[in-house]
Amino acid sequence: MKIRLAAPTSPVPVPVPAYLVGQPGISTETRSALAAISQIHGRVEVVHDQSNVFQGGRNRGWTLDQAAVLNALSGDHLHRATMAVTRADHQRPQQEAFFKFAERIGYRVLRHAPLHDERGRICEDEMKVDGACRELIRQAAACADVDVVVVLSGDGGLVNACRAARRAGKDVFVLCWSGTLHPELQAAATATFFLDDLRSLLTRVH
């Protein structure tokens, strides 16, 4: 089931999370986003394919606010949040600074060795990063302390792992940018959300 947000025909009271209380002016768009993700509850495992989400959103003028992601998507209890990444290039110290920031706000960051193209440029080893995401989803599927798996990726390589989590009785919620969602991943998930629709809640301007 894919969920696109629409303007409500009548006001719907949506509880404002504690971290937004006191913020000036909670917009109608943000309240709609809160209503959409309110079905994410229970004990949550977050699996974040950082490259997939970054590449999908890089030309949209928005980037994910990682702290807002953890605040909004952690349900009743955040069991664990893990970000699978390609190890930072020594020539791009801002990448490692970002990974360290993610660790400070609560992510476990799994760094994987990169590949190099014919020009010597660093690129992602998709087998390692996608494999790590699949393993994380399968671990969550087997964990008695997890009710919900939140997957930030639209990658079709995660389909079987998400199916396994569903068979294990977990709800699987997939979040990605529009145009990046593999149709089989959509079918495997309990529900999918486009980050475009949640940007007032989860994103910031570049």
Side-chain angles (χ1 to χ4, degrees), residues 29-132:
E29 183 182 1
T30 296
R31 288 188 179 275
S32 295
L34 289 167
I37 64 173
S38 64
Q39 60 188 292
I40 300 175
H41 55 82
R43 298 165 297 178
V44 174
E45 177 98 6
V46 175
V47 177
H48 188 158
D49 180 351
Q50 192 269 337
S51 178
N52 181 276
V53 174
F54 174 76
Q55 295 296 337
R58 67 184 306 179
N59 295 320
R60 299 171 194 253
W62 298 82
T63 188
L64 280 184
D65 181 331
Q66 300 298 335
V69 168
L70 292 187
N71 280 325
L73 304 180
S74 58
D76 301 314
H77 170 72
L78 180 62
H79 178 258
R80 185 174 64 174
T82 306
M83 184 182 290
V85 305
T86 297
R87 192 172 61 222
D89 182 350
H90 68 89
Q91 296 179 340
R92 296 179 179 177
Q94 69 274 17
Q95 288 182 320
E96 182 59 25
F98 168 74
F99 298 156
K100 289 181 177 178
F101 166 74
E103 289 173 328
R104 287 197 301 273
I105 63 173
Y107 275 103
R108 181 176 61 143
V109 179
L110 301 183
R111 296 165 173 83
H112 298 275
L115 294 175
H116 295 82
D117 65 16
E118 64 279 2
R119 296 183 180 180
R121 296 174 300 190
I122 282 182
C123 55
E124 180 179 287
D125 187 335
E126 291 188 12
M127 289 184 63
K128 289 182 179 178
V129 175
D130 290 356

